[in-house]
């Protein structure tokens, strides 16, 4: 999940109202973006295609790194339904991240570097191996769990990169993005935006059914504050297609 942090020039409730009046434009925008329907089924784990590498011709080692991350994530015992088929959850999550990064960098600003593509794909690699329940209750333990996860994801991904011949400089760049060391870095912002957009598009409904309205409004406000300009624009474009209950919460969160 994502939390949030900047300010917006136009009042967010006005932006949302504009967005809700532009349903057709939002659908047109969405139609021009690559679909997740090509996500491979679990039976193809051994030869998972790397969508980012195929959409953005790049080095063979990038394809190998992404494939190794996919292979690890294909071991997730949990699942998500994508295009009518069950897919290991973290495999689906990593592809959602890749798709959003592809959308957010489509104009070349910033360009989708190999390091950015790797950081996005490995953001939650093997996350199921360290569940929240393995740490004590309380906010301090929760924050430690989050920090430990970031370090685990980063070390796992950079180890794969070294195996494939990436320089220490490249590994350090990926680590910085994954550890969120520089939130003002354009590539770091792209990953943060992608995390928030995956939450809004794929995880919002499930969480809404578990949490109170007050809690959800707080989460949405934090998410909004953390998103950059492109991320916010993409989030507003999602609004018309949201379930009515989700859209109502978004309106309340951004109206204050």
């Amino acid at each position: 999940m994502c939390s949030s942090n900047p300010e917006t020039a136009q009042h967010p409730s006005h932006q949302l109202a504009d967005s809700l009046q532009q349903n057709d434009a939002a659908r047109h925008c969405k139609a021009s973006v690559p679909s997740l329907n090509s996500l491979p089924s679990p039976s193809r784990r051994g030869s998972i295609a790397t969508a980012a590498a195929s959409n953005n011709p790049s080095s063979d080692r990038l394809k190998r790194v992404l494939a190794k991350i996919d292979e690890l994530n294909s071991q997730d015992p949990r699942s998500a339904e994508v295009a009518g088929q069950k897919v290991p959850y973290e495999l689906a999550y990593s592809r959602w991240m890749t798709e959003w990064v592809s959308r957010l960098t489509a104009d070349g600003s910033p360009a989708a570097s190999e390091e950015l593509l790797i950081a996005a794909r490995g953001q939650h690699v093997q996350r199921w191996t360290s569940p929240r329940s393995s740490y004590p209750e309380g906010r301090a333990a929760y924050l430690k769990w989050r920090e430990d996860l970031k370090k685990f994801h980063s070390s796992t991904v950079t180890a794969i990169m070294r195996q494939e011949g990436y320089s220490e400089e490249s590994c350090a760049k990926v680590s910085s993005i994954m550890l969120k060391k520089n939130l003002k870095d354009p590539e770091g912002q792209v990953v943060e935006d992608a995390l928030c957009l995956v939450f809004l598009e794929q995880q919002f409904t499930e969480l809404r059914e578990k949490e109170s309205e007050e809690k959800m409004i707080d989460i949405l406000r934090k998410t909004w504050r953390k998103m950059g300009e492109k991320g916010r624009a993409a989030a507003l474009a999602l609004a018309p297609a949201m379930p009515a209950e989700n859209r109502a919460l978004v309106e309340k969160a951004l109206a204050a």
Side-chain angles (χ1 to χ4, degrees):
M1 189 190 309
C2 165
S3 336
S4 338
N5 279 358
E7 307 295 329
T8 177
Q10 183 183 359
H11 194 286
S13 62
H14 296 166
Q15 289 182 312
L16 184 61
D18 291 345
S19 174
L20 294 175
Q21 293 168 10
Q22 295 170 4
N23 200 349
D24 291 339
R27 281 199 298 267
H28 174 75
C29 174
K30 192 170 183 181
S32 66
V33 174
S35 168
L36 271 177
N37 289 347
S38 59
L39 188 69
S41 66
S43 63
R44 294 172 56 197
R45 293 176 188 176
S47 58
I48 297 169
T50 54
S54 61
N55 290 340
N56 305 285
S58 197
S59 68
D60 287 340
R61 66 179 179 177
L62 171 61
K63 296 176 185 178
R64 292 194 299 270
V65 168
L66 298 183
K68 286 183 176 181
I69 293 171
D70 283 353
E71 188 61 35
L72 290 176
N73 281 332
S74 71
Q75 298 166 18
D76 191 349
R78 306 166 303 162
S79 64
E81 187 168 313
V82 180
Q85 58 182 319
K86 288 190 174 182
V87 178
Y89 186 84
E90 291 303 347
L91 179 61
Y93 188 94
S94 68
R95 294 307 182 79
W96 293 328
M97 286 292 295
T98 294
E99 180 176 339
W100 272 116
V101 166
S102 178
R103 296 186 192 197
L104 293 167
T105 59
D107 64 356
S109 178
S113 68
E114 293 192 10
E115 290 85 0
L116 174 56
L117 294 172
I118 291 169
R121 191 65 143 250
Q123 194 68 25
H124 283 183
V125 63
Q126 293 187 302
R127 173 160 284 213
W128 73 92
T129 63
S130 181
R132 173 66 181 92
S133 59
S134 63
Y135 283 69
E137 293 297 319
R139 181 159 178 77
Y142 169 76
L143 293 175
K144 177 170 173 47
W145 171 65
R146 291 288 298 270
E147 285 302 309
D148 289 349
L149 275 174
K150 285 191 288 187
K151 292 174 184 176
F152 168 67
H153 299 323
S154 172
S155 63
T156 300
V157 169
T158 53
I160 293 172
M161 291 176 68
R162 291 186 182 96
Q163 291 171 7
E164 296 301 335
Y166 278 90
S167 68
E168 285 304 313
E169 181 180 5
S170 287
C171 291
K173 182 177 179 181
V174 168
S175 181
S176 178
I177 294 172
M178 297 185 73
L179 296 176
K180 302 185 180 183
K181 288 185 174 180
N182 182 6
L183 295 179
K184 294 183 178 180
D185 174 66
E187 292 190 322
Q189 185 64 63
V190 168
V191 171
E192 195 63 52
D193 286 347
L195 285 165
C196 294
L197 289 161
V198 169
F199 163 62
L200 290 171
E201 190 173 46
Q202 306 292 343
Q203 301 170 316
F204 184 7
T205 298
E206 182 180 358
L207 188 63
R208 190 203 77 223
E209 292 170 351
K210 297 177 182 177
E211 300 289 353
S212 67
E213 178 176 306
E214 181 181 6
K215 178 68 172 178
M216 287 305 301
I217 288 174
D218 181 59
I219 289 170
L220 287 167
R221 286 174 179 164
K222 289 177 179 177
T223 298
W224 183 261
R225 291 197 301 269
K226 203 164 190 178
M227 298 177 79
E229 183 179 344
K230 282 187 178 180
R232 290 180 176 187
L236 292 173
L238 289 176
M242 284 182 177
E245 298 93 335
N246 293 8
R247 194 164 64 247
L249 282 173
V250 171
E251 289 174 333
K252 288 183 180 181
L254 300 187

